[in-house]
Amino acid sequence: KRRDFTKFKLGSEVEGKVDSVLKYGVFVDVGANVNALLHISRITGGSIENIRHHLNEGDPVTVHVIDIDEKKKTLAVSMLDKKADQYLDRRMSQRLKKFYGTVKRDV
């Protein structure tokens, strides 16, 4: 039986298998009722030209949960350590502020 994706905890580490590979990332089967998105930027933290040089369908992965969106019914995961994720989030926030001005997030 599959777990409800909303039962996962932010920051929790989970084991999974790569289900499908796309240009922007991979979907990981973590045993939830939805597959988790592992964005290309959250695989190595650096530039990747071809995801398939790093991950392919069926590969086992250890990831941690970085976002649970109940409205969109999505689960996002990362292979980076928590410090690298925080740095990446901060950089993205700075870029958004520079481009759009102040960004308000729903809490």
Side-chain angles (χ1 to χ4, degrees):
K1 186 177 176 187
R2 297 218 167 271
R3 287 175 58 189
D4 181 1
F5 77 98
T6 61
K7 301 295 183 209
F8 284 83
K9 302 277 186 231
L10 284 178
S12 63
E13 189 171 277
V14 291
E15 302 291 323
K17 271 193 177 175
V18 175
D19 187 54
S20 59
V21 179
L22 304 164
K23 285 183 178 182
Y24 56 86
V26 300
F27 282 98
V28 179
D29 182 353
V30 292
N33 56 347
V34 297
N35 280 345
L37 174 62
L38 172 58
H39 190 268
I40 191 169
S41 65
R42 306 286 178 160
I43 295 173
T44 66
S47 178
I48 295 178
E49 285 186 33
N50 188 341
I51 294 176
R52 291 192 182 276
H53 292 163
H54 300 273
L55 295 169
N56 288 291
E57 285 89 351
D59 286 353
V61 291
T62 301
V63 294
H64 64 273
V65 178
I66 58 170
D67 189 44
I68 301 167
D69 190 329
E70 293 185 42
K71 288 181 185 175
K72 294 181 183 176
K73 296 185 179 177
T74 59
L75 185 63
V77 294
S78 175
M79 289 178 69
L80 302 177
D81 64 41
K82 290 181 175 109
K83 276 192 172 185
D85 272 326
Q86 290 170 349
Y87 173 77
L88 190 58
D89 289 342
R90 212 170 29 253
R91 293 278 297 145
M92 287 301 293
S93 178
Q94 290 168 353
R95 285 183 180 174
L96 288 172
K97 283 180 186 175
K98 188 175 184 180
F99 189 76
Y100 293 107
T102 303
V103 176
K104 291 184 180 180
R105 296 189 81 177
D106 293 336
V107 179

